[in-house]
Amino acid sequence: MSDTGDTDDTGKGGTSFFGPATGVGSMPGGDAREAAKTVTGSFEDFPFLAELPARGPGADMIGRTIGMLVDLYAHVEPSGWRISDRPGRDTKRARSWLGEDLDALEEFTQGYEGPLKVQAVGPWTLAAALELRGGEAAVGDAGACRDLVGSLAEGLRAHLAELAKRIPGARIVLQLDEPSLTAVLRGHVRTASGYRTYRAVDRQVVESALRDVIAAHDGPVVVHSCAPDVPFALLRRAGVTGVSFDFGLLTERDEEPIGEAVEAGTKLFTGVVPSTDGPLSDPGGSVMGVRTLWRRLGLNPGTLAESVVVTPTCGLAGASPAYARAALAHCARAARSLADNPE
C-alpha cells in the first residue's frame, strides 16, 4: 500500500487507503483499554478509535463531538445537550474520556502503519441534536448552524492533528456520523414540543456545510448513516471518499445511485453484520447480498474487494462484549470471503 493512497477526483484519497473491514464506532462496556485491544486485534489493517457510550453523557457520540468543538460549549439537560456560555463539567468529562480513549489506542498501535478510522458526529446530526438556550434545536437557526459548522471544522483539525502526533504511522480516515441527515433534508426533525417539525434545510446548504467540514481533513472522509434513504448523490457532490450504511435498508431506488457511486470511485462501507446479539451466518453468506447487488448492477465482480469495506450494520454499543468481539471477527472473515470468491 502506498503512503498516500491513490487519488480520486475529490483529492481526498482513493481506494487503496482502506483495509477490507472495520467497525462503525461504538463498542459495549466502559473499559477503554479492553476496547482498544479488541479493535486492534480484530482489524490489524484497519482499526478504529472506539467509542464507549455506556460510560454516560460525554461518552455518547453527541457529547464526544461537543467536547471537540472550539469556542462552543454545552451541558446536559433532561432533554439532551444544550448550548452553554462556558465549558462545564459535562464538556470536561467528554474531553477526559476522549483523552482516555486516545491513550488506549496509542498503547495498542505502537509502530502501526496503515489506515486508522476516527469518528465524529457530522454537522447536521449535531445541529438536529444540540439545543440552543431556548430549548429548540440548532437546525432551526441558520446562523447557529453556520457557527456549528465552523466550530466543528476547527475542532476536528485539532483532533486529527493530535491523533497524527500520537500514531505517526497512521493514515487517518475521518468518519462523519450523520444518522439524522435524511430527516434534516426532509423536514422530519421534531421541535422541542414534538407537535411540529423544523423546515427542511435546502440541499445546497446541507451540501455546502458538509463540504466545509470535509475540508478539515486532508485525507479520506467517509459519511456514515444507519438510517434509510442515504443521499448517496449529495454526499458524492460534497466530496466524500466513502459512504457507510446499513446494507439491509437498501431499496431498489438506491441501486442506481450506488452504481454511479461505485463507478465514480466512491468506497462503500457495507453494514452486513448485525450490530446486536444474534446468530451469525457463515462469512460468505453475510456478503451474498453484496455479490448479488454487483451482478444486478452489471459491475465487474473483480472490483468488489477494492470497492467494498465490510462493517457491522451500526455501532456495537448495544451488543454484549462477547458478541461484539465475534461480530468484528466475522466482518474480517466476510471481507476475506468477498476477496477470495467475488462471484
Side-chain angles (χ1 to χ4, degrees), residues 138-147:
V139 73
D141 184 317
C145 289
R146 285 192 294 272
D147 291 344

Side-chain angles (χ1 to χ4, degrees), residues 155-299:
L156 282 173
R157 287 188 191 96
H159 176 54
L160 295 167
E162 171 72 10
L163 196 60
K165 186 170 68 175
R166 286 171 174 263
I167 311 170
R171 298 193 292 279
I172 298 170
V173 176
L174 172 62
Q175 175 181 301
L176 297 174
D177 291 319
E178 282 283 17
S180 299
L181 181 58
T182 300
V184 168
L185 287 165
R186 294 185 174 175
H188 291 171
V189 178
R190 294 204 167 274
T191 59
S193 69
Y195 293 124
R196 63 182 184 88
T197 58
Y198 295 102
R199 183 179 300 174
V201 180
D202 182 86
R203 296 180 80 85
Q204 289 186 323
V205 173
V206 169
E207 186 181 322
S208 175
L210 283 168
R211 191 177 293 113
D212 288 348
V213 175
I214 287 167
H217 182 38
D218 61 3
V221 178
V222 175
V223 168
H224 168 74
S225 175
C226 49
D229 301 319
V230 175
F232 288 93
L234 182 150
L235 293 174
R236 280 178 49 221
R237 289 195 303 272
V240 303
T241 316
V243 182
S244 171
F245 55 96
D246 181 342
F247 189 82
L249 297 179
L250 293 182
T251 65
E252 195 174 323
R253 67 175 172 268
D254 293 313
E255 292 188 3
E256 185 177 345
I258 284 178
E260 291 171 351
V262 171
E263 289 178 344
T266 304
K267 196 83 167 184
L268 302 183
F269 284 59
T270 55
V272 295
V273 178
S275 54
T276 53
D277 291 44
L280 292 168
S281 72
D282 68 281
S286 292
V287 290
M288 184 60 69
V290 182
R291 292 190 184 99
T292 302
L293 174 64
W294 234 248
R295 284 197 296 272
R296 251 193 338 263
L297 293 175
L299 296 169

Side-chain angles (χ1 to χ4, degrees), residues 56-131:
D60 61 298
M61 72 176 195
I62 298 294
R64 186 184 187 90
T65 302
I66 284 169
M68 299 179 192
L69 298 177
V70 174
D71 295 331
L72 269 180
Y73 314 106
H75 65 279
V76 177
E77 292 279 341
S79 54
W81 285 88
R82 184 172 294 182
I83 290 285
S84 302
D85 293 325
R86 59 185 65 85
R89 179 183 59 191
D90 297 328
T91 302
K92 290 174 181 174
R93 185 168 50 200
R95 291 173 177 171
S96 174
W97 273 328
L98 178 57
E100 188 179 303
D101 294 338
L102 287 168
D103 288 344
L105 185 65
E106 183 179 3
E107 177 184 347
F108 286 97
T109 52
Q110 293 294 311
Y112 175 72
E113 294 185 0
L116 171 70
K117 185 166 70 68
V118 58
Q119 306 79 222
V121 175
W124 294 108
T125 296
L126 201 57
L130 182 59
E131 298 174 358

